[in-house]
Amino acid sequence: MTISDNTRGLVLAVLSSSFIGASFILKKKGLKRAGASGTRAGIGGYTYLLEPLWWAGMVTMIIGEAANSVAYVFAPAVLVTPLGALSIIISAVLAHFMLKERLQKLGVLGCVSCIVGSVVIVIHAPQERTPNSVQEIWTLATQPAFLLYSVATVSVVLVLVLHFEPRYGQTNILIYLGICSLMGSLTVVSIKAIGIAIKLTLEGMSQIAYPQTWFFVAVAVICVITQLNYLNKALDTFNTAVVSPIYYVMFTTLTIIASAIMFKDWSCQDASSIASELCGFITVLSGTIILHSTREQEATPATGTHLGGNISWYVRGDSTKSIENDHFIALQSSDYYD
């Protein structure tokens, strides 16, 4: 019985999503253990590098990413990329049982919106042309339009790292994940170039002597390290069930934009495809807002201790009553006594 290439790609994509979804949980548990005995990653600590569970998650993620890369060899992106959304479902389910992180009903709606919007974008995204050499990718990468995108991406990342991350990184999930996703869009180009170089070298046309090959290797290493660093901070600071879908959405969206700019396939799209992409972006944006608002609701403390801020305490009227029948008293500010 002959197995079709699409079937191989489908199986690899599903396995990839399973490994990547599980890696989020393993890394999160590793980060929690490391934070309990040292400086948390969310505030600049690196003790997680000594935690075996974090490395187990890292290895699991590498296996998943490798399987995902091979899946693209057998099946088209239209089939493989949407299946990446399965990692969101897997990580959310595992987080519910292993991390005791509950995703509220509104969060479920946001998650579904993100997945639906991302699938629509991927299905109607421009079809990219596969380059045949590292030099060809270099020519595409040095086009004015993509150079402008690259400079803009690096500039935004620097602004996020130097200005916004110290001030809002602990309270706004989009800071950490924005850095990861922006760098990820550049990683895809570099990894693609490296993959083509390896393939051509194995076929007898060595690409090792070309400086462009090593340039793409350097870019890939820098981008991957940056992504891992800030993804660790996001996982250590925010709920896993919220991190996974937002990261997936932002990474997928920015990768499609980068590919469209670099390969200029967007110029051949018809009005129907463009309209579908716009609807997908709106759906993704809505889902992201819903997920982010869910995170803010979870972060709202039940009790306040700030002088001059909200102060609330719990008064138990009857020990046999449920919490719904008890009473809460809140003083909005210290001016109450004036």
Side-chain angles (χ1 to χ4, degrees):
M1 179 179 178
T2 303
I3 301 176
S4 66
D5 285 347
N6 272 8
T7 302
R8 291 191 180 97
L10 175 63
V11 172
L12 285 168
V14 172
L15 289 174
S16 169
S17 295
S18 300
F19 278 109
I20 293 174
S23 73
F24 275 103
I25 306 304
L26 291 173
K27 291 172 71 177
K28 177 82 173 188
K29 289 181 73 68
L31 289 168
K32 281 189 170 184
R33 286 188 182 179
S37 59
T39 306
R40 292 174 51 239
I43 56 177
Y46 293 95
T47 53
Y48 61 84
L49 293 175
L50 303 176
E51 177 56 51
L53 200 56
W54 182 87
W55 282 107
M58 187 67 197
V59 171
T60 304
M61 176 172 280
I62 292 173
I63 294 173
E65 293 294 350
N68 191 59
S69 299
V70 177
Y72 280 105
V73 175
F74 294 103
V78 169
L79 173 63
V80 176
T81 308
L83 292 176
L86 292 175
S87 64
I88 301 172
I89 310 288
I90 292 169
S91 63
V93 172
L94 291 178
H96 176 80
F97 292 104
M98 298 179 65
L99 301 179
K100 308 303 180 184
E101 295 181 356
R102 292 187 175 276
L103 187 61
Q104 305 299 324
K105 291 182 179 179
L106 192 61
V108 173
L109 175 61
C111 186
V112 172
S113 298
C114 287
I115 295 173
V116 171
S118 296
V119 170
V120 171
I121 292 173
V122 170
I123 290 176
H124 295 279
Q127 297 293 319
E128 71 174 20
R129 181 173 56 88
T130 303
N132 298 313
S133 67
V134 172
Q135 295 95 321
E136 186 177 347
I137 294 182
W138 180 260
T139 301
L140 294 172
T142 53
Q143 294 177 100
F146 190 74
L147 282 177
L148 180 61
Y149 173 83
S150 300
V151 171
T153 297
V154 173
S155 299
V156 172
V157 168
L158 288 175
V159 171
L160 289 174
V161 171
L162 299 176
H163 178 75
F164 289 98
E165 193 262 338
R167 295 170 174 81
Y168 310 110
Q170 295 291 310
T171 57
N172 193 325
I173 193 173
L174 298 180
I175 304 298
Y176 291 147
L177 296 186
I179 296 171
C180 292
S181 303
L182 286 166
M183 297 300 284
S185 66
L186 298 180
T187 302
V188 170
V189 177
S190 301
I191 294 297
K192 192 176 188 68
I194 296 169
I196 291 175
I198 294 174
K199 179 183 177 182
L200 292 174
T201 299
L202 293 176
E203 292 176 351
M205 296 176 287
S206 178
Q207 305 291 306
I208 297 177
Y210 293 105
Q212 294 94 330
T213 301
W214 298 106
F215 174 82
F216 285 122
V217 169
V219 171
V221 169
I222 293 172
C223 291
V224 168
I225 291 175
T226 304
Q227 284 179 263
L228 289 175
N229 182 38
Y230 284 95
L231 181 58
N232 284 330
K233 290 187 177 185
L235 287 171
D236 189 50
T237 306
F238 301 100
N239 191 305
T240 307
V242 179
V243 170
S244 300
I246 294 180
Y247 178 54
Y248 168 78
V249 166
M250 295 179 69
F251 174 77
T252 302
T253 302
L254 290 171
T255 298
I256 290 174
I257 292 174
S259 298
I261 294 174
M262 184 169 178
F263 298 104
K264 295 185 180 298
D265 294 320
W266 45 267
S267 60
C268 300
Q269 285 193 293
D270 55 25
S272 175
S273 296
I274 294 174
S276 297
E277 287 181 45
L278 290 175
C279 291
F281 273 109
I282 293 173
T283 305
V284 168
L285 179 61
S286 301
T288 303
I289 293 173
I290 292 172
L291 281 169
H292 195 45
S293 64
T294 302
R295 167 61 196 170
E296 290 175 343
Q297 289 174 8
E298 291 177 353
T300 302
T303 60
T305 57
H306 295 285
L307 183 62
N310 292 338
I311 303 175
S312 57
W313 66 83
Y314 177 63
V315 180
R316 196 160 186 73
D318 187 341
S319 59
T320 62
K321 293 180 180 179
S322 64
I323 193 169
E324 290 81 2
N325 295 325
D326 296 327
H327 307 285
F328 291 86
I329 299 175
L331 301 181
Q332 295 303 318
S333 71
S334 58
D335 294 338
Y336 179 86
Y337 295 102
D338 294 342

